[in-house]
Amino acid sequence: MDSVAWIILFTPLVSALVITLFTQPYRKLSSYLSVAAVGISFLFSLIVFFSPDGSAGFTWIDLGIFQVRIGYLIDGLTRLMLLVVSGVGLLIHIYSIGYMQDDAGRSRYFGALSLFMFSMLGIVLADNFIMMFMSWELVGVSSYLLIGHWFFRSSAADAANKAFLVNRIGDFGFMLGILLVWSATGTVAFTELTHKWSSLALGSTFMTVAPLLVFCGAVGKSAQFPLHVWLPDAMEGPTPVSALIHAATMVAAGVFMLARTFFLFEHSPLALGIILWIGLITSLLAAFMATQQSDIKRVLAYSTLSQLGLMVAAVGLAAPGAGIFHLFTHASFKALLFLGAGSVIHSLHHEQNIWHMGGLQRRMPITFWTFLVGTLALIACPPFSGFWSKDGILAASQGNFPAFCAIALVTFLTAFYMARLFVVAFLGHSRTEHAEHAHESPRVMTVPLILLAIPATIAGLPPIASLFWRVSGHEGSPATAIIVSLVAFVAGVLAGFALYRSRDKDPLNIPLFEYRFYIDQLYDQLVKWTQDLLAGICGFVDRWIIDGGVVRGLSGMTWGTGFALRFLQIGNLQAYAFLFGLGVVVLLYFILFGVP
Amino acid sequence: MSFPPALLELLVLCLGLALLLVESFTEKQDRTLLAYIGMVGLGVIFLILQLLPPGPTGMASYVFDPVAIFFKKFVVLTTIIVLIMSVDYATTIQRFVPGISSQAGLGEFFAIPILTCAGMMWMASAIDFILIFVSLELVTISFYVLVAFMRRNASSLEAGVKYLILSAFSTGFFAYGAAWIFGVTGNTNLVRIQQVLPALGAENYSAILFGALLVLVGLGFKIAAAPFQFWVPDVYQGAPTPITAFLSVGSKAVGFIVLLRVVQAFQSLPPVGDKVVAALIILAAATLIYGNLAALPQTNLKRLLAYSSIGHAGYLLMAVAGISARDSGQAVVIYLAAYLLMTLLSFLILIIVSNYADGDEIVNFNGLSQRSPLLAFGLLVAMMSLAGVPFTAGFLGKFLVFKVAYESQQFVLLALGIITVGCGFYYYLKVVRAMYWQSAASNGATIPVSGLSFATIVLLVLFTFLLGIFPQMATGLLR
């Protein structure tokens, strides 16, 4: 048991090191190594899945007051996440072999992918905040490397920077939150914290502020409003990366973290309310934005944002179980959708605009059908997996009417924009040369699609879902929730079909949605103003205080000293001895007569 | 094991004398062989030290506690690495030492550091002012010879004279201070002094404080604390580089162990102990400011390292000034261990590069990353560690020193320390910039590195990281 968890965690690290240090020139070997590593992690995750709870660890750094422990904590949450991360990870690694076969930087790609697996599994296994935070940062680094994999394209390099910097903001809050929690309780271990936090007698301000700072980490990593701007740009990375990191696993880390540390939040209604509305605002904004995008990956990216918003909202509704259940189903169907999109992009020679596609159902049957499955799961069509998990969230919001309405609206919008995407990209006639000559992708890519379609279909069914995760009360979810969700779904699909069937261009034109509520522009301006302001201040300080005062003062002093020393030049040595003696006299005088 | 620990110093002394004899009575023998014999001999001493448990010695003036063992290992290791450097430096020595044969004087250059080592080992165990004084003089006198060893090099000679006179000056203060302390307490033994002090009447406080401060001055010279540091830049630059490394690591380390023991002894009398701490705070502050600010404009790496060694003395003094904190001694020990690794690493690479480029200016390191990636990487690690980048040994040392300063509530020193660390980044990264961002000068060939130096560099780099990543290794040094 003990070694199993370590094998899961460290095999990908070994692979990342070996690939980076030794097998860089052997691209094929590197990719197989990386796949083998994640395969081992997956096998051992299966073992863990059938083993009892446990935890163990060792102290890595011990400096008395400051200790860093590396330890794992296995409970229901960890088991499920291990399976999701390593399972989806394995399929996407395999898919990558096909997708990246012509890429010169394949070794680099697989090295970074292994590093990502290590860090993500580190977050999942961590039994304390410090280890989680370190893995959290490593995930940020590997995400940066992978988004910027094609760094010679300036858009990719910019997107990588943006993702890293925006996450920095959230992580800063996260770190402050961890420090606050630590200083209040004296521990960072989750099990210990659970007991100590509830018995903490501190003011309600502290009990709200500290959890909200921790939540900042989730806002950054799970791309919640107002830090959501990095995720759509992150689609500049290779599509398997988008599927693994920016849809299925890493962005879900924020939700996982909230569930893991839910004990911090449950005592503060205010914190929960803020989390709920951040989640809902993200979900709504992203759903609106998705209706007007024409890049297939961007539509999926906004839908990811929207679904992440729902998961965060579920935590805010004090139902983290429902959020994690949605995370679980979402991981499979969203990875499926992204890989399907990747398959289309691959065969259409890197065409990503849905208005340049069309008529793909005959030319790419496997991609077509599996994509359909993913779409149905995402838009919550019964009995696909997404229906059950979204219904759980909707049911949890029953007591809160505004939240209930917002979730229903998101359900409608999701059905609408996915119907639009599906109709435009796959049905009708081919609109371009490339789309006409499309052909099915190689088997190394289609097999993962088929394998992912299975959980996307059945994972939500109550008898199967209960094997993985126990969500309270979703079998008995009230009829209103089911009826509302069905109505929203049918209305959305019908609207999408009616508007977009056999169209060659978008009949709707809503710039506000297309330009993402102008939030990115606002940030750009804001950053520019702040930068100009800071630059102005720095310039002033540099020119007038440092240059004028310190440097000229110092150089004057140096020159003066040099001038003075010139008189002692007769023998440097005498000068030294003189100064030495002077030092002794001054020291003696100060201590014997000066210090009280 | 009934091996008397004090025998170790005698063994080292005999080793040095034997090498001198071999030097005198053989003519054709390759002199570098002597250096290798010295290294092996010291390696054996190191192993014995590793095996010997701490315990009573039966002598009043000589202790064999974990601190003493640590410092003995420290100086033995330093001496071994200095000998490795000296072999690389032999060509320069030959150029500046007149003689009939081409290797004249080399044997002495290899043998004398071993005598110095014996002195330092004694100092690590000495708890009596008389033994401290004698061993201190053994160290200092052998350094007079070593610093001025390159007889045809004016700056080496000048450095030797400066070191001789100023060192004698400081020794005078030390002896005078010890005499005052003896006069008041009737003892030269630190343990006894510690016992006797609390019983002293208040009329003696000024006298005992006067003596303590004079001893502090004498030691302040050894550890290069401002304002007794004036000799450092000139002597460090003029001396043969391996000797500079030896001065800046070995001589400083034993200075600190004596300082720790003396300051500790005076803590038993708070009215005096507090003022000694106040003096240490003043010295630490002055040293931090002087060392770090004066290093800013340097363009010569050897001189830069001299100023940086003053700066590091400042951080170490911070830890000594925090003697009231529980981990003060531990912080000094770990900081010195880190300091040994990174300073010797810098000097080793400096010797190799400057031998080849015939100069130790920072510009000689331009483009080193392209010419010799290993040397550049080694110096990069050394500079990172000296500056205190996390996951290097230097960071661990600074972390512990700052922790001690925080716990003993020396907030002014703490603030000063943090600011000067910022300065450190500036001048250490200047070297990194030269190696990695400037293009190489005309001389663009790979620099040859001997196998022994190569292995030493690799080991030093490795341990710099190991100490930084697994700090328990360091905290275990004293157990």
Side-chain angles (χ1 to χ4, degrees):
Chain A
M1 185 62 197
D2 207 38
S3 48
V4 170
W6 299 131
I7 291 173
I8 294 176
L9 181 59
F10 288 110
T11 317
L13 177 65
V14 172
S15 147
L17 289 177
V18 169
I19 291 174
T20 314
L21 295 177
F22 303 113
T23 67
Q24 201 70 254
Y26 317 107
R27 280 177 273 166
K28 221 174 201 140
L29 182 62
S30 302
S31 58
Y32 291 147
L33 263 176
S34 181
V35 172
V38 66
I40 292 172
S41 287
F42 177 65
L43 282 180
F44 283 90
S45 296
L46 281 178
I47 296 176
V48 167
F49 191 75
F50 296 108
S51 343
D53 286 4
S55 73
F58 56 91
T59 306
W60 173 30
I61 294 176
D62 180 6
L63 295 172
I65 51 160
F66 176 73
Q67 291 184 337
V68 179
R69 246 177 75 84
I70 300 292
Y72 65 82
L73 173 69
I74 288 175
D75 58 4
L77 186 59
T78 314
R79 282 198 209 101
L80 182 73
M81 285 300 289
L82 279 181
L83 219 53
V84 170
V85 172
S86 62
V88 176
L90 175 61
L91 291 177
I92 291 175
H93 272 72
I94 295 171
Y95 179 94
S96 295
I97 297 179
Y99 193 86
M100 303 297 284
Q101 68 190 16
D102 307 323
D103 198 285
R106 216 169 358 149
S107 291
R108 188 159 47 83
Y109 172 85
F110 277 100
L113 218 51
S114 280
L115 177 66
F116 167 77
M117 289 308 293
F118 163 69
S119 355
M120 187 69 207
L121 291 166
I123 294 182
V124 172
L125 283 166
D127 74 341
N128 64 73
F129 260 131
I130 303 277
M131 175 178 167
M132 181 185 259
F133 188 73
M134 287 190 304
S135 308
W136 192 266
E137 295 299 310
L138 279 175
V139 159
V141 172
S142 42
S143 160
Y144 170 83
L145 293 174
L146 287 165
I147 296 172
H149 179 68
W150 289 313
F151 54 84
F152 35 83
R153 284 206 317 238
S154 68
S155 60
D158 289 346
N161 273 335
K162 188 169 177 181
F164 196 74
L165 293 176
V166 171
N167 266 298
R168 231 30 330 91
I169 300 172
D171 290 352
F172 187 66
F174 188 25
M175 190 172 74
L176 289 183
I178 293 175
L179 290 176
L180 275 187
V181 170
W182 182 29
S183 58
T185 62
T187 176
V188 286
F190 294 135
T191 35
E192 239 176 289
L193 271 176
T194 317
H195 304 305
K196 282 198 179 166
W197 189 257
S198 51
S199 59
L200 214 57
L202 284 166
S204 66
T205 321
F206 181 83
M207 298 297 268
T208 305
V209 169
L212 280 179
L213 282 170
V214 171
F215 173 62
C216 281
V219 171
K221 198 112 308 188
S222 286
Q224 297 296 296
F225 176 82
L227 299 182
H228 63 280
V229 290
W230 66 268
L231 186 58
D233 289 12
M235 297 300 134
E236 290 293 340
T239 305
V241 168
S242 309
L244 176 62
I245 301 186
H246 306 115
T249 55
M250 181 188 87
V251 286
V255 180
F256 166 79
M257 187 267 279
L258 292 180
R260 171 62 86 215
T261 60
F262 189 68
F263 56 86
L264 293 177
F265 302 93
E266 58 189 348
H267 303 296
S268 171
L270 180 61
L272 285 179
I274 291 174
I275 292 172
L276 170 66
W277 282 101
I278 293 272
L280 288 179
I281 291 171
T282 312
S283 189
L284 274 171
L285 285 182
F288 279 121
M289 295 176 201
T291 58
Q292 283 285 296
Q293 304 299 321
S294 51
D295 180 320
I296 186 169
K297 282 179 73 179
R298 284 198 174 240
V299 178
L300 294 176
Y302 285 108
S303 100
T304 305
L305 276 181
S306 179
Q307 301 301 311
L308 287 168
L310 285 185
M311 298 173 207
V312 169
V315 175
L317 289 164
I324 291 293
F325 185 46
H326 195 52
L327 188 166
F328 167 59
T329 57
H330 176 262
S332 62
F333 64 70
K334 189 48 70 65
L336 170 61
L337 285 171
F338 264 108
L339 294 188
S343 167
V344 172
I345 295 168
H346 191 67
S347 76
L348 264 63
H349 302 274
H350 292 273
E351 178 57 67
Q352 304 200 1
N353 190 328
I354 54 173
W355 297 100
H356 297 166
M357 297 175 184
L360 298 175
Q361 76 269 41
R362 279 181 312 280
R363 299 191 183 93
M364 307 180 67
I366 300 177
T367 307
F368 172 80
W369 287 109
T370 50
F371 200 88
L372 180 62
V373 169
T375 308
L376 290 174
L378 172 59
I379 63 181
C381 169
F384 290 93
S385 59
F387 168 74
W388 305 96
S389 54
K390 197 175 287 179
D391 193 50
I393 299 178
L394 200 59
S397 72
Q398 290 242 302
N400 188 336
F401 187 67
F404 185 78
C405 291
I407 298 174
L409 182 56
V410 170
T411 313
F412 165 76
L413 287 169
T414 311
F416 174 74
Y417 66 70
M418 284 310 292
R420 167 181 179 265
L421 169 69
F422 194 75
V423 170
V424 173
F426 284 89
L427 305 181
H429 58 91
S430 307
R431 295 187 201 83
T432 56
E433 239 355 58
H434 283 324
E436 257 168 47
H437 297 119
H439 52 86
E440 190 54 276
S441 300
R443 204 166 299 154
V444 69
M445 289 166 72
T446 53
V447 169
L449 288 178
I450 295 166
L451 289 177
L452 277 170
I454 297 168
T457 312
I458 60 166
L461 293 168
I464 296 170
S466 60
L467 291 178
F468 294 97
W469 187 240
R470 190 163 302 135
V471 193
S472 49
H474 89 260
E475 297 104 308
S477 60
T480 18
I482 296 187
I483 292 168
V484 170
S485 110
L486 282 179
V487 169
F489 153 67
V490 173
V493 172
L494 287 180
F497 263 89
L499 259 176
Y500 288 97
R501 215 158 61 97
S502 54
R503 298 272 186 172
D504 280 344
K505 65 183 200 26
D506 204 327
L508 291 180
N509 183 16
I510 311 171
L512 183 66
F513 295 169
E514 194 181 346
Y515 290 106
R516 303 167 260 168
F517 296 89
Y518 300 103
I519 293 173
D520 290 61
Q521 280 85 343
L522 177 73
Y523 285 178
D524 282 351
Q525 286 304 316
L526 207 64
V527 168
K528 192 172 165 301
W529 289 333
T530 336
Q531 233 165 30
D532 285 352
L533 187 69
L534 275 178
I537 294 173
C538 289
F540 176 82
V541 169
D542 189 44
R543 195 158 309 140
W544 297 106
I545 298 182
I546 297 188
D547 255 20
V550 180
V551 173
R552 247 161 254 162
L554 268 184
S555 70
M557 234 165 65
T558 318
W559 188 85
T561 320
F563 190 74
L565 278 178
R566 204 158 301 165
F567 288 104
L568 302 168
Q569 196 66 50
I570 320 156
N572 241 328
L573 185 57
Q574 282 92 322
Y576 291 163
F578 173 73
L579 290 170
F580 190 117
L582 196 65
V584 176
V585 171
V586 170
L587 182 75
L588 287 176
Y589 178 79
F590 257 111
I591 299 300
L592 288 175
F593 305 109
V595 179
Chain B
M1 193 188 269
S2 60
F3 188 91
L7 203 61
L8 285 173
E9 280 82 2
L10 293 178
L11 281 178
V12 175
L13 208 56
C14 293
L15 178 67
L17 292 174
L19 290 182
L20 275 182
L21 288 179
V22 175
E23 153 78 11
S24 314
F25 291 104
T26 55
E27 272 168 19
K28 296 198 177 108
Q29 195 62 47
D30 181 10
R31 294 299 186 239
T32 48
L33 184 67
L34 296 182
Y36 293 125
I37 295 172
M39 289 175 214
V40 173
L42 288 174
V44 172
I45 302 284
F46 189 85
L47 284 182
I48 298 175
L49 276 169
Q50 195 72 33
L51 295 175
L52 279 185
T57 56
M59 285 179 277
S61 58
Y62 184 99
V63 287
F64 198 67
D65 55 3
V67 179
I69 298 180
F70 168 79
F71 276 94
K72 280 176 206 279
K73 283 190 210 161
F74 184 99
V75 295
V76 170
L77 200 62
T78 308
T79 316
I80 295 176
I81 298 176
V82 166
L83 286 179
I84 294 174
M85 292 180 190
S86 305
V87 174
D88 279 340
Y89 200 73
T91 46
T92 315
I93 294 286
Q94 284 163 19
R95 208 148 32 108
F96 291 112
V97 177
I100 328 158
S101 70
S102 67
Q103 288 193 320
L106 261 191
E108 285 149 28
F109 191 67
F110 296 141
I112 298 176
I114 296 174
L115 302 180
T116 319
C117 177
M120 289 177 172
M121 287 171 72
W122 258 312
M123 251 169 111
S125 282
I127 52 162
D128 189 300
F129 274 122
I130 293 174
L131 184 58
I132 291 175
F133 185 81
V134 172
S135 49
L136 197 68
E137 285 311 289
L138 175 53
V139 172
T140 315
I141 291 170
S142 56
F143 266 127
Y144 297 153
V145 181
L146 287 170
V147 169
F149 202 84
M150 300 193 289
R151 265 170 288 166
R152 280 200 184 144
N153 182 325
S155 65
S156 176
L157 282 179
E158 188 187 328
V161 172
K162 278 179 184 161
Y163 186 65
L164 169 71
I165 292 179
L166 289 173
S167 175
F169 199 46
S170 81
T171 305
F173 283 106
F174 182 86
Y176 190 44
W180 270 78
I181 293 169
F182 175 75
V184 178
T185 63
N187 276 299
T188 54
N189 189 301
L190 286 172
V191 178
R192 280 239 198 85
I193 290 173
Q194 190 167 11
Q195 291 160 353
V196 170
L197 275 180
L200 283 182
E203 72 278 5
N204 290 319
Y205 289 176
S206 296
I208 199 87
L209 183 60
F210 183 65
L213 288 178
L214 290 177
V215 169
L216 220 57
V217 169
L219 293 174
F221 173 86
K222 294 283 169 234
I223 60 174
F228 317 117
Q229 88 300 349
F230 292 101
W231 58 282
V232 170
D234 290 0
V235 173
Y236 276 28
Q237 200 174 11
T241 314
I243 302 312
T244 310
F246 205 16
L247 266 177
S248 101
V249 178
S251 177
K252 191 183 300 263
V254 289
F256 269 102
I257 185 181
V258 174
L259 186 66
L260 263 181
R261 293 199 197 280
V262 169
V263 172
Q264 190 65 56
F266 285 102
Q267 291 306 300
S268 65
L269 186 62
V272 173
D274 290 351
K275 290 203 170 185
V276 170
V277 168
L280 285 171
I281 292 173
I282 294 175
L283 292 185
T287 312
L288 279 176
I289 294 174
Y290 181 88
N292 283 292
L293 286 190
L296 286 177
Q298 299 307 322
T299 55
N300 179 300
L301 184 59
K302 205 167 162 187
R303 209 170 168 86
L304 176 73
L305 286 174
Y307 282 107
S308 119
S309 105
I310 299 175
H312 286 287
Y315 297 112
L316 283 159
L317 275 170
M318 254 172 95
V320 181
I323 192 95
S324 60
R326 193 167 47 92
D327 294 334
S328 163
Q330 194 196 37
V332 172
V333 164
I334 293 177
Y335 199 103
L336 278 172
Y339 179 74
L340 173 140
L341 293 173
M342 56 210 191
T343 307
L344 291 183
L345 184 57
S346 318
F347 275 111
L348 185 54
I349 294 172
L350 169 70
I351 287 174
I352 296 170
V353 175
S354 61
N355 250 357
Y356 186 79
D358 203 23
D360 33 32
E361 299 291 325
I362 292 180
V363 285
N364 293 127
F365 289 78
N366 280 356
L368 189 67
S369 65
Q370 276 121 46
R371 291 148 65 196
S372 301
L374 174 92
L375 292 180
F377 180 73
L379 199 53
L380 170 73
V381 173
M383 291 296 142
M384 291 288 157
S385 184
L386 284 166
V389 174
F391 294 115
T392 58
F395 173 78
L396 174 67
K398 289 217 170 68
F399 176 89
L400 291 173
V401 166
F402 288 168
K403 190 183 122 191
V404 164
Y406 174 80
E407 282 173 354
S408 57
Q409 304 188 330
Q410 315 282 9
F411 296 116
V412 179
L413 277 187
L414 192 60
L416 206 56
I418 290 168
I419 295 170
T420 49
V421 165
C423 296
F425 270 89
Y426 174 82
Y427 55 79
Y428 291 125
L429 292 189
K430 224 160 57 168
V431 182
V432 175
R433 188 187 61 187
M435 292 189 302
Y436 283 87
W437 278 280
Q438 314 283 28
S439 52
S442 54
N443 205 342
T446 308
I447 298 170
V449 182
S450 74
L452 195 56
S453 304
F454 181 90
T456 315
I457 291 174
V458 171
L459 278 178
L460 288 172
V461 168
L462 201 67
F463 276 96
T464 305
F465 279 126
L466 279 180
L467 270 193
I469 296 175
F470 299 106
Q472 289 93 311
M473 268 179 57
T475 44
L477 285 177
L478 275 185
R479 270 173 217 146

